[in-house]
Amino acid sequence: SERVVLLLVKSVTTRTCRSAGTMAPLRWAAPLFFSFLRSTRLLLMLGFLCSSTALFAHSKLDVTSRTASKFVPGVVQRQRSASVAGSSFIGAQGIGGGGGDSGGFSAGVVKDSLRMILGDTDVSVSTFQPRLRPVAVPVAGWKQPAGLTVSGGADATATIATESNIGTSADSSGGPAGGGAVEVEVVGNTIKVDGVTLLENMPSTLRAAASSDLTGVVLGLLDDGPAKAQWDIKLGHLTSKNLLSCARIKRWWMAPQWPDSPSDVPIETQFLVAEVVAGGPYVVMLPLIEGSFRSTLYGTAGREAIQTSPRAVPKADETLLSMRVESGDKSVVASAIPSTLYIAAGYDVYETVERAFKEVSAHLGTFKTRASKPEPPLLRRFGWCTWDAFYSDVEPVGVARGLEELAEGGTPARFLILDDGWQMTASHGAAAREAKKERLKEVLRLREAKKAAVAVKSKVAEKAKVAANFAFSCSKVAEQERAKKAAHKVKDALPHGEEGEEGECANAGSPEEDEYCDVGDPINTSGTTLTGDVVGQVQSTNTDTPAVIKWLSDKAAKFYSNHVEHAAPDKWTVRLWAFLCMYVLKGPFLEFYDTFTDFSKRLTSFEANSKFQTAEKPFSSFVSDLRHRFATLDLIYAWHAMPGYWAGVSLDSTDTAALNPRPHLPTPTQFVKEMEPGVQWDPVMLGGLGAIPNDKASDFYQGIHRYLRESGLDGVKVDAQGAMGTFGEGNGGGPELVRHFTSAMEGSVSDNFGASHCINCMCHSTENMYNYKLTTMARVSDDFYPRDTPSHTYHIAAVAFNSVFMGEIVNADWDMFNSKHDAAGIHAAARAVGGCAVYTSDKPGEHDFDLLRRLVFPDGSVPVALRPGRPTADCLFKDPTGYADPLASTSAPPNVAKPPADPTALKIWNTNRFGYVVAAFNLRGSAWDRRRRSYQTFEEEVSPVTAKITIGDIPAWAPTPAPGSAGVAGVAAAAQFESHFRHTDEVVVDSAADPAAAASAAELTHTLEPQLRRARRTSEGFGADSVAERVVVAYSHVSGDVKLMRASDEISVELGTRDYEVVTMAELTALTNPDSSAGVDVDVGAGASASASASANAHGVAGLSWAPIGLGNMLNSGGTVLRCVWVAWCRESTCTDMQGQRNEPTNQRTNGPTNQRTNRPTNQPTNEPTDQPTS
C-alpha cells in the first residue's frame, strides 16, 4: 500500500510540475524527498493529503474505470473507488498518455520512479503488474534506460524488457525461428514474412512488440488521444489473396468464410489464416483479449455486404483489413492496449497454428492448449444424448427406452447426456402463469385424443374402436376435436412433432409404451427455429384467443417473415420491429415466449423437476436405476446453462434467494446486433436476465454441481456460454465478466467431477475460448439440425474448419447426429475421421444399426483418431460448398450475383497410431447465408465433384518448401512427422491418481516409438528423393480397393450428392531376412494375390511387405489397430523381431495379444462385457 501511494504521489506531482513547466527541480529533489518520506510513519497520511490537493488543483485530470488494478503504460490515469471481493482499492490504471497539453510518462519513467521509491534495488515494472506485456512507446527526446532495445526504421520504437511471462524483449522480427517458424519482422510501417511484404501502411497507433519467447509479433494499440471503449483501427493493406476466416454467425456460434479479398473478411472474425505466396509461407492472425478489451478483424466490404444498400469499395481499399477493439462497457475505456493481435508464420500451416496458440496461451496466461490437458474420458466411448430425441420434453421412461434399444442393437451407449428438460424452471409474470395453466389444459385434452387415435391402430382394433367411439360421444367431444385440429396445425408448424400417419405412434402397444408416446408436448417449440411462420401458426392454436387478436397476430407474423426475418440489420423494418417489440408488443411477445418456449424461463432450484424425482424417489434413484439396468453405462452427464437457465435464475424462488439474483438487460455490441439483429427482441432482452452477482458465481456452480455429484452423475454439459459477454455493461466489460464466470465454472467442475468431465457448448466467442484453462472439450459448430436440410452438409464444413483453430484449445466435439437420417452416412464418415466423441440423438425406434456398427464396437468403445480432424492443406482456401452470395463481395457492382465457385471436394485428414486417414466429401449445394442469417440451399441439383487423394495430403509425408538446402527441408519434414503424434509430455496423467490412464499413456508412447525412431534415423537424408521413395498402402472403405501409392500417385474418386470416401493409409514395411541382405522371395500364388505382388514389384518393393490397415468393415479401420509386433524372419525354433530379440515360437498369432481387451477407454469404472474383441 505504501508503494502504491508513493507512486501515486510521484505521478500526480509530476503532472502538476509538468503543467507548470517546472520539471527540473523535481529531478534533483524527488530522490531526497522520497528518501525522507520512507523513514517516517506519517507516510500514508501525507501521501493521501498531497494526492488530494494536487487532484483538486489539476482539474483537467481524466477519470477511467477498470475492474482490475494494474499499471499499463499509456493508459490515461483515472481514480475511482471500486470493490473487488469486498475490499476497496484505488483504481489507478497507469501514468501518462493523456491528451492535450498534459504530456505523459513512458513505462521507462515509471520504472525509474520505482527505483527512486525503493532505493537502489533493481525492480522491474512487473513488480506491480505481473501480466505486463512488452509495449512499444515513442522514444523521441527520451533517454533509453538499461534493458531496452530499439529496432525499426524511421518510425523507431522502443520495447520495454520486463520480467513477465513473456520473457525479455528481442528484435521485432520475432526472435530466433524454431522448428517450422518463419521470420516475421517489422520494418517501419510494414510487416514482412520471410522477406515478403505481408501488411503495409500500418497506422502509427499500432506498435509491434516481440520477445525471445515468441516466434511471431504482437501488435498493440498506443494512441495519444482520449481513452475510448471502442476502437476501429485500419491495420493496413494485406497482400495475401488466399484467406480463411472463422467468424461468429450468432452469439453462440462461429463458421468459416473464404473471402475473395481482405476487404471481404466478415465482421466478428476471430481467426484468420493467409497464404502469403502459393505453397507458403502461411500466416496466422489471432485477435487477442487484453484485460477488458476484445479484438476482432473485419473488412469494409465484409461489413457492407450485410447492409441494405451495400456501397462499392474503392479499388484501392480492396486489400484493406481492419480491427475492432472494444470492452463492451462504455465506462471501461483505454488509450493503450498492449496486446490486440498476434501474427505468426511458417511453411507448415498446421504447425504454425499450433505454435501460435501455444505462444498466445503463454502470452495471455488465461487459457491452456489442448496438448497440455488430459484427454476427456468420454472421447473413446459411444454415447447417446436426449436432445433431438425428446427436446425439453424428456422423461425417465424415454431415457430408459433409448438406452435399451441401443444395447439391444449391438451398440450400447457408454455415456449419456441428459440434456435440457430435467431442471426446475418457471416463467415469470402472472400472465405467463395463467397461460401455462391454459397450455396444460390443452395438453391434457390432446393426450385423450392421441390415446384414442393410437388405440385405433392397435391389434385390438374392434375394442379400441368401441372405446374411441365412446370417448368421442362423451361431453368432451368439442374439446377433443379442437385439440386434434390444434395438434395438426402445430405438427405442420413444428417439424419435430410429426409422427407419421395421423394418430400413429411407432411405440404404441403396452401401457408403458403408450405413456412414453405421450411425453411429447406438441405445443412446446423446444428445438424449433422460431420463424415467423412458426410463431403465427402456434399462436393460432389458442382456441380462446379472440378472432381480432388472431388476425392481428397473423398479420404481424407475416410482416416479420417478409420484412424482418431475413432483412439487413440496418433496414427500417428491422429498426421498427425492434422498437415495437420493446415498447408496444412487449407484453404479447413475453406471453408467447412464456407459454410456448423455454427461452424466457428461469431456474428455480438446483434439484431435478417432478418428472425425475418425487418425495419417495429422489433424482439419485433415477441415476442408480440406469446404472443398474445398463451395465455398460460408464458416464452420465447433465445439461445446464451458464447463467442458470436460458433467462437466468428466478428472482422469486426461495431456493435461489441466497444467490441474490438481480434483473439485468443485455447490451450487445454494435457488431453483435449487425450479425444477429434478433438479439434486440430476444426473450432476455424483453424480460431481462435473472443475473447471478459476480461474487455469487462460485456459490451457484458449486451448488448445482454438488447436487449432481451427490445424485451420482459424472459431469456436465455447460450451454449458452456465448451470450454472457452481452451483459458486460456495468460489469467491467464482456471479457472481464466472462472470465470471472468461466473461472468459477471450471473450478467447480474440477472440484466436483474433474476438469475433463465437462462439455462446453454455445461458446464460440473468444471471450469463452480464451479462458479455458482446465476444461478439455467443446462443441466446434452450430447444432446438427435434423430437419433443417440446408444445414446438413454445411455442418461438416463448419466443424472441420473450426477445428483448425478451436482444436488447439479443446478436444473438438462435432455434435450428435441421427443414425436413421438422409444425411446419416456422410455424418458418420465425418465423425470417423473427426477425432471426436461419437454419439447420436436417435429417437427410440429410429436407428440404423448397420451404420452404427461401422463406428462402434460391440462393447460400446470407438476407434477414435488421435487429433481433431482438419481440412487438408490444398482445401484450406477453397469453399467446399461452392456458395456465392449475390452480395458476398461489394467490390463488384452491388446486387450482381457471382457464379458459384468451381466444384471442389472437402478432404479431412487425421492421425491413427500406425498410419493416417483421409476422408473426402461432396458438400455442395447449401451453406450459411450471412446476409439472410439462415442456412440456404442455392443449388438444387448438386454437381458431382472429383476428389484427388494423395500421400501429400498428410503433412508428415509432404515435403515442406522450407528455405535453404534439401537437408534443411528434410530435418523440418522429420520434425513435422514427429509433431503430428502425441508426445510423452503431451499426455498429462497423474499416475498416482489414475494408474490405468498412466498405463494407457505409456502404451501409446511405446506404440509410436518405432515410427518416431525411423523418422529420426532418416531425418538427415529425408528430402525430395526420400519422399519419392516412400510407398504406402491405401485402403478405400466405400469401394473396398487396396492400392500401393508413391508421392506421384493419386486416388481419384467421383462423389455425387452427399457421397463420401474414407481412405486409410499406412506406410509399407518390407520384411527381410536378417541373415541376408537380399529380400525374401515369396510365391504369392495366383489371382488377387498375384495381382497384389505385381503391384508391389511395380513400386519397387522387394520381397514380402505389409502395412497394418485394421478392421476393414469399420469406417476408421486404421484406428482399430492398437498394437503391432513386427516379425522380420522366423526359422525353425526361434523368431527374431525388429529389435533383434529372439523369442521361442508359439502357436499363437504374432500380431499382438488376442485374449486382451485393448480397445477399452481408460481411467473409468470397468464394466467388462463377456465377449472381448481382439485388436
Side-chain angles (χ1 to χ4, degrees):
S1 300
E2 292 177 355
R3 293 177 179 177
V4 172
V5 173
L6 284 172
L7 182 59
L8 183 61
V9 173
K10 173 72 165 65
S11 64
V12 174
T13 309
T14 300
R15 279 178 170 271
T16 306
C17 294
R18 177 174 291 214
S19 62
T22 57
M23 286 295 296
L26 178 66
R27 297 190 181 278
W28 60 266
L32 295 176
F33 175 67
F34 285 112
S35 296
F36 172 76
L37 288 181
R38 290 178 67 238
S39 63
T40 70
R41 302 307 302 170
L42 298 177
L43 179 62
L44 290 178
M45 183 181 298
L46 180 59
F48 281 113
L49 179 62
C50 293
S51 301
S52 303
T53 304
L55 287 172
F56 181 79
H58 197 67
S59 60
K60 290 186 178 181
L61 193 62
D62 293 307
V63 179
T64 228
S65 163
R66 294 288 293 269
T67 57
S69 177
K70 67 177 183 179
F71 292 84
V72 179
V75 179
V76 178
Q77 178 184 344
R78 289 191 161 183
Q79 292 180 331
R80 170 173 161 182
S81 180
S83 177
V84 174
S87 61
S88 182
F89 69 95
I90 296 179
Q93 294 303 311
I95 302 171
D101 60 353
S102 62
F105 274 115
S106 68
V109 178
V110 175
K111 194 172 181 179
D112 291 340
S113 301
L114 296 177
R115 288 197 181 102
M116 289 188 218
I117 297 171
L118 302 174
D120 296 331
T121 305
D122 188 8
V123 179
S124 70
V125 180
S126 61
T127 300
F128 286 114
Q129 186 216 359
R131 293 186 58 249
L132 180 65
R133 306 289 174 244
V135 182
V137 295
V139 295
W142 178 54
K143 183 179 179 181
Q144 175 180 328
L148 197 63
T149 59
V150 180
S151 61
D155 300 328
T157 60
T159 303
I160 297 171
T162 71
E163 296 176 359
S164 66
N165 59 347
I166 290 303
T168 58
S169 65
D171 184 77
S172 60
S173 62
V182 171
E183 183 180 34
V184 181
E185 57 181 344
V186 180
V187 181
N189 63 351
T190 300
I191 292 182
K192 293 188 175 183
V193 174
D194 205 16
V196 179
T197 298
L198 171 70
L199 197 64
E200 52 189 0
N201 298 328
M202 285 196 309
S204 58
T205 54
L206 279 183
R207 306 301 171 90
S211 166
S212 60
D213 289 347
L214 300 176
T215 59
V217 168
V218 176
L219 296 182
L221 170 69
L222 183 63
D223 193 276
D224 293 331
K228 295 189 290 186
Q230 176 183 300
W231 293 85
D232 282 290
I233 306 165
K234 294 182 178 179
L235 289 175
H237 292 273
L238 187 66
T239 59
S240 301
K241 296 295 183 182
N242 288 333
L243 302 170
L244 165 64
S245 75
C246 281
R248 283 207 289 179
I249 58 175
K250 305 176 184 178
R251 286 161 290 175
W252 331 99
W253 305 117
M254 176 175 72
Q257 182 88 350
W258 299 265
D260 293 334
S261 68
S263 184
D264 290 316
V265 173
I267 60 173
E268 283 291 314
T269 289
Q270 303 182 122
F271 310 108
L272 186 70
V273 172
E275 189 177 38
V276 181
V277 295
Y282 301 94
V283 167
V284 178
M285 294 186 176
L286 301 180
L288 304 178
I289 292 180
E290 173 70 28
S292 293
F293 286 84
R294 171 178 175 263
S295 304
T296 57
L297 301 175
Y298 70 97
T300 304
R303 187 180 184 186
E304 286 291 331
I306 60 176
Q307 306 301 321
T308 303
S309 299
R311 294 169 294 181
V313 176
K315 188 75 174 177
D317 290 341
E318 288 184 0
T319 59
L320 185 63
L321 184 65
S322 300
M323 177 172 64
R324 172 162 289 192
V325 186
E326 57 192 341
S327 68
D329 187 337
K330 293 188 294 292
S331 66
V332 180
V333 299
S335 62
I337 305 168
S339 302
T340 59
L341 180 68
Y342 179 67
I343 302 176
Y347 278 92
D348 181 338
V349 63
Y350 307 104
E351 183 276 333
T352 304
V353 173
E354 183 177 0
R355 171 167 40 87
F357 274 95
K358 184 176 181 179
E359 294 178 357
V360 167
S361 170
H363 180 67
L364 297 180
T366 58
F367 73 95
K368 292 184 178 179
T369 60
R370 173 186 55 81
S372 64
K373 302 174 186 176
E375 183 179 279
L378 59 75
L379 185 61
R380 304 187 185 279
R381 290 170 162 82
F382 175 60
W384 182 62
C385 178
T386 62
W387 178 241
D388 285 327
F390 310 112
Y391 298 112
S392 61
D393 289 316
V394 60
E395 289 190 354
V397 65
V399 176
R401 183 63 177 264
L403 293 171
E404 182 180 28
E405 291 190 357
L406 289 172
E408 291 174 351
T411 57
R414 297 289 289 270
F415 73 85
L416 165 70
I417 299 176
L418 181 62
D419 216 291
D420 188 5
W422 67 272
Q423 294 174 288
M424 284 190 185
T425 62
S427 303
H428 53 282
R433 286 191 289 271
E434 290 301 319
K436 177 72 173 178
K437 293 179 182 178
E438 291 300 319
R439 175 186 169 210
L440 291 177
K441 292 179 182 178
E442 191 76 12
V443 170
L444 292 176
R445 290 194 292 266
L446 180 61
R447 284 193 174 192
E448 294 299 324
K450 286 176 64 180
K451 285 184 178 181
V454 168
V456 172
K457 298 288 183 177
S458 67
K459 295 180 180 180
V460 288
E462 291 299 324
K463 292 182 180 180
K465 287 180 181 179
V466 172
N469 291 334
F470 177 79
F472 279 96
S473 64
C474 66
S475 60
K476 295 185 178 181
V477 169
E479 288 82 354
Q480 290 173 339
E481 289 298 328
R482 283 199 299 269
K484 289 177 65 177
K485 292 179 181 179
H488 292 317
K489 289 183 178 181
V490 175
K491 289 174 185 176
D492 293 336
L494 309 180
H496 73 271
E498 296 175 347
E499 293 179 323
E501 298 180 11
E502 180 179 351
E504 181 180 354
C505 178
N507 303 286
S510 65
E512 182 184 16
E513 290 170 331
D514 286 341
E515 180 64 23
Y516 161 73
C517 292
D518 293 334
V519 299
D521 178 0
I523 300 179
N524 190 342
T525 61
S526 172
T528 302
T529 302
L530 292 179
T531 64
D533 294 336
V534 169
V535 173
Q537 294 185 51
V538 171
Q539 282 280 43
S540 67
T541 63
N542 193 340
T543 58
D544 297 327
T545 303
V548 175
I549 302 299
K550 283 188 177 182
W551 182 83
L552 291 175
S553 298
D554 181 64
K555 294 300 180 184
K558 289 181 178 178
F559 175 80
Y560 178 80
S561 296
N562 297 331
H563 303 290
V564 178
E565 190 171 348
H566 300 301
D570 63 336
K571 193 172 182 178
W572 69 268
T573 55
V574 173
R575 295 196 296 269
L576 174 62
W577 186 260
F579 174 83
L580 292 175
C581 289
M582 284 299 297
Y583 301 104
V584 180
L585 303 175
K586 183 175 182 178
F589 260 90
L590 275 177
E591 182 178 347
F592 168 81
Y593 285 127
D594 287 345
T595 306
F596 298 109
T597 78
D598 297 321
F599 298 123
S600 60
K601 294 179 182 177
R602 292 172 176 167
L603 188 70
T604 60
S605 173
F606 293 151
E607 297 188 2
N609 56 37
S610 59
K611 294 186 296 184
F612 289 90
Q613 72 172 1
T614 63
E616 296 77 20
K617 295 189 66 175
F619 188 44
S620 58
S621 296
F622 163 73
V623 176
S624 61
D625 288 347
L626 289 181
R627 295 193 186 278
H628 177 75
R629 185 172 176 182
F630 305 102
T632 60
L633 187 61
D634 298 332
L635 304 171
I636 303 177
Y637 288 11
W639 176 98
H640 74 80
M642 177 166 266
Y645 200 64
W646 295 108
V649 174
S650 174
L651 307 180
D652 305 318
S653 173
T654 56
D655 291 345
T656 58
L659 297 175
N660 300 324
R662 52 187 173 82
H664 191 16
L665 291 176
T667 309
T669 64
Q670 182 61 35
F671 272 6
V672 170
K673 289 190 288 188
E674 291 181 13
M675 169 191 69
E676 189 182 3
V679 299
Q680 299 171 88
W681 50 87
D682 183 271
V684 175
M685 177 65 78
L686 302 181
L689 180 80
I692 303 166
N694 292 359
D695 59 350
K696 294 291 184 179
S698 181
D699 293 344
F700 165 70
Y701 293 121
Q702 289 286 351
I704 191 170
H705 294 162
R706 186 184 306 112
Y707 169 75
L708 292 173
R709 173 175 55 81
E710 292 174 352
S711 298
L713 278 81
D714 304 289
V716 288
K717 173 183 175 181
V718 184
D719 218 339
Q721 298 188 27
M724 290 295 291
T726 62
F727 297 94
E729 185 69 36
N731 284 305
E736 201 71 45
L737 177 69
V738 175
R739 184 179 303 116
H740 179 77
F741 272 79
T742 303
S743 176
M745 181 270 292
E746 287 197 321
S748 177
V749 170
S750 180
D751 291 344
N752 289 281
F753 309 112
S756 56
H757 287 279
C758 177
I759 305 174
N760 295 295
C761 195
M762 301 180 79
C763 56
H764 285 193
S765 170
T766 46
E767 294 167 326
N768 307 109
M769 292 182 279
Y770 281 172
N771 285 298
Y772 292 148
K773 279 187 174 181
L774 302 176
T775 52
T776 61
M777 190 174 184
R779 275 273 297 282
V780 294
S781 76
D782 197 352
D783 285 13
F784 170 77
Y785 298 107
R787 295 163 186 86
D788 190 354
T789 301
S791 71
H792 297 157
T793 52
Y794 188 77
H795 182 275
I796 297 174
V799 291
F801 284 93
N802 286 349
S803 292
V804 173
F805 305 102
M806 292 186 66
E808 297 302 329
I809 301 176
V810 292
N811 284 271
D813 172 15
W814 286 25
D815 199 15
M816 65 199 103
F817 71 104
N818 291 1
S819 68
K820 194 173 184 179
H821 191 276
D822 291 342
I826 197 170
H827 275 270
R831 303 311 188 277
V833 75
C836 56
V838 177
Y839 61 112
T840 69
S841 189
D842 293 348
K843 288 184 177 180
E846 299 182 10
H847 311 282
D848 184 345
F849 288 111
D850 289 337
L851 179 64
L852 290 178
R853 282 190 284 265
R854 293 157 64 189
L855 286 169
V856 185
F857 286 125
D859 68 340
S861 59
V862 181
V864 177
L866 297 182
R867 285 174 173 253
R870 291 161 289 178
T872 57
D874 60 335
C875 293
L876 275 178
F877 305 105
K878 297 177 182 178
D879 182 357
T881 71
Y883 185 61
D885 180 34
L887 295 175
S889 174
T890 55
S891 303
N895 301 307
V896 176
K898 299 188 300 180
D902 294 334
T904 181
L906 173 63
K907 294 183 295 181
I908 302 174
W909 72 277
N910 212 324
T911 305
N912 288 316
R913 296 192 181 189
F914 293 94
Y916 298 89
V917 58
V918 178
F921 305 89
N922 183 351
L923 305 181
R924 287 182 63 85
S926 302
W928 174 263
D929 188 320
R930 291 182 184 270
R931 180 178 174 81
R932 287 175 280 274
R933 300 180 299 281
S934 61
Y935 295 101
Q936 297 287 326
T937 296
F938 59 89
E939 192 176 31
E940 295 294 343
E941 295 185 3
V942 177
S943 304
V945 299
T946 300
K948 297 184 182 298
I949 300 173
T950 69
I951 66 175
D953 292 332
I954 307 303
W957 289 346
T960 302
S965 64
V968 175
V971 173
Q976 287 175 42
F977 183 94
E978 187 162 348
S979 72
H980 288 293
F981 290 97
R982 288 185 181 274
H983 296 228
T984 304
D985 58 355
E986 288 181 312
V987 184
V988 182
V989 176
D990 185 350
S991 58
D994 201 338
S1000 176
E1003 176 191 346
L1004 176 60
T1005 304
H1006 172 73
T1007 55
L1008 297 181
E1009 270 303 311
Q1011 296 191 58
L1012 300 182
R1013 283 198 300 271
R1014 284 188 296 157
R1016 297 187 188 102
R1017 285 199 301 266
T1018 58
S1019 61
E1020 294 183 0
F1022 182 57
D1025 294 339
S1026 297
V1027 172
E1029 293 302 321
R1030 174 178 284 110
V1031 180
V1032 303
V1033 176
Y1035 167 67
S1036 301
H1037 179 86
V1038 175
S1039 67
D1041 295 338
V1042 179
K1043 182 177 181 179
L1044 298 181
M1045 298 178 65
R1046 277 185 171 179
S1048 58
D1049 298 330
E1050 66 181 29
I1051 297 176
S1052 182
V1053 183
E1054 185 174 281
L1055 303 172
T1057 305
R1058 297 184 177 181
D1059 280 351
Y1060 64 91
E1061 180 62 276
V1062 181
V1063 178
T1064 295
M1065 295 184 181
E1067 191 168 2
L1068 197 65
T1069 301
L1071 302 181
T1072 59
N1073 186 341
D1075 298 330
S1076 171
S1077 60
V1080 180
D1081 294 327
V1082 178
D1083 182 5
V1084 296
S1089 297
S1091 173
S1093 177
S1095 177
N1097 291 331
H1099 285 77
V1101 180
L1104 181 63
S1105 301
W1106 79 294
I1109 294 298
L1111 301 180
N1113 62 323
M1114 304 294 286
L1115 282 167
N1116 181 21
S1117 61
T1120 66
V1121 182
L1122 303 183
R1123 179 181 291 110
C1124 288
V1125 179
W1126 295 345
V1127 177
W1129 183 255
C1130 187
R1131 181 178 55 226
E1132 296 182 1
S1133 61
T1134 59
C1135 291
T1136 305
D1137 63 20
M1138 296 297 285
Q1139 285 74 38
Q1141 300 294 325
R1142 304 184 71 84
N1143 306 311
E1144 294 299 324
T1146 65
N1147 293 327
Q1148 297 181 355
R1149 300 174 63 178
T1150 58
N1151 63 339
T1154 59
N1155 190 23
Q1156 181 179 355
R1157 174 193 170 97
T1158 57
N1159 56 358
R1160 170 179 175 77
T1162 60
N1163 74 355
Q1164 289 302 322
T1166 58
N1167 296 313
E1168 300 290 350
T1170 55
D1171 53 337
Q1172 299 180 353
T1174 59
S1175 56

